[in-house]
Amino acid sequence: MNPIEQFLRKVSYKFPKGYPDINDPKDWLMLEGMLKGMGINLNEAFTDFPKSEEEIDNSIIKNIFKAVKQYPHLKLEDPIALAPESPKTVKISRSLQRDSRFIPFISQQLGVKFNDSGAKYEGITIKFGEGSRGGRGVASKGLKFENELVAELELYNKEGLTEDNKNNYQYSRLIIEMSKEIGIKPGNFKVELEGGKNQSRPLKFEEGNPIVSFSAGTAAETLTDITITKDNKPYYLSAKYGSTLTFFNSGITKIFPKSEIEAGEIKNSDGISLLKTFGIDNKLFCRVFNEYGETNFSSESGASSLYDVNKIKSLIQSGIGEGYYMVHAGTKKGDQFYKVDSAYSQTASDVSAPIVYYGGSGGDGKRVDIIVESPTYFFKINNRNKAGGLYPTHIMCDYRKK
């Protein structure tokens, strides 16, 4: 019997079905928490690249960042990578590791000895790596997909899709679906890659209701990664790769100010409104961050009873948006192309009652997670610090299609 099978047999009795159902978000969170307790992190991804000290809360990591930035031959604006789920690990770009002058410099700056794998500095593990930079990380797979799809659309526009050239296409099925839905044919459209704009989607409050707003005006114009223009009409495509994705990722430092959390209660109207939307206990929310490292909150987690389901639906529907096409690859169900219109958005946001996890799935994290599901998606909404610090900086709505 292999170690994985031994582990599953040992813990299966704890799950309602007698085994962990990875399609059930509650089972997935339980399994995630168990593995985390064994030092196995399923969500580790070095996707945050701070460009200034102000983006880093941890004072020790801030010192590391400052030391790296002082290197006189530095060419990178964002030389380190952080993972929210690994707050005690920093990755320094391998381009600096390859520079023979850097290791002696950083060793002297920090007063520690570096070897080929990195170093330890005041409880922080320093490694060398690119994170999602350079085509090897979670985010870069999405960027790679966008570039490949644009290249194939340009090829289709020039040569069409035939028996003779079909082997030149990786995403022929998607292009056929687009030709049927949008009416693109060789020579009749233009394609533009826009994902690099990374346009913001901040939260705003309308009569106390939290919703996602869009910096480019409409959801479609903000969310587009690839824009096809045919007969002077734009068609917006949101390109996604992988199973677990994000609908919105909005800053909350003004909604949940550090000073109010430290005082033990959120008092500003927007913060109170957002907590009440999900039925999150105000003082318990603050305790999660103030008592991090001291208290496990697993016993406090569970189904919320004081939530506002209409506000949750409104928030998620605003985050999904409408007026664009979803192009989704890298899933077990194969490549998918479908229209996100008002009807789709309404059905997809028709969510169940929320389950609130104080301290995350294990009860000891510096985060508060909310699980809901609709006929279309499993949603995991989390409030956490994206740069490895303590107090929450963002609310993220991750989703997985059913």
Side-chain angles (χ1 to χ4, degrees), residues 44-52 55-56 65 68-69 74-83 90-98 102 127-144 147:
E44 181 179 78
F46 287 79
T47 56
D48 296 329
F49 305 96
K51 296 180 180 180
S52 67
E55 298 176 58
I56 304 170
F65 177 82
V68 175
K69 291 287 279 187
L74 183 67
K75 296 180 180 180
L76 289 172
E77 187 179 11
D78 51 356
I80 71 171
L82 305 175
V90 173
K91 286 190 176 182
I92 298 176
S93 173
R94 289 194 188 279
S95 65
L96 291 172
Q97 183 186 27
R98 292 190 291 268
F102 177 73
K127 298 180 179 180
F128 291 101
E130 300 301 327
S132 291
R133 187 193 288 115
R136 290 183 290 277
V138 175
S140 292
K141 290 181 181 178
L143 296 175
K144 183 172 181 286
N147 282 284

Side-chain angles (χ1 to χ4, degrees), residues 18 27 128 130 166 178 180 207 236 249 261 273 280 338 343 367 388:
D27 281 14
F128 291 101
E130 300 301 327
K166 66 180 182 180
M178 290 181 207
K180 292 178 181 178
E207 298 180 354
Y236 302 108
N249 173 12
I261 295 175
S273 176
I280 297 173
Y338 52 91
R367 59 192 296 150

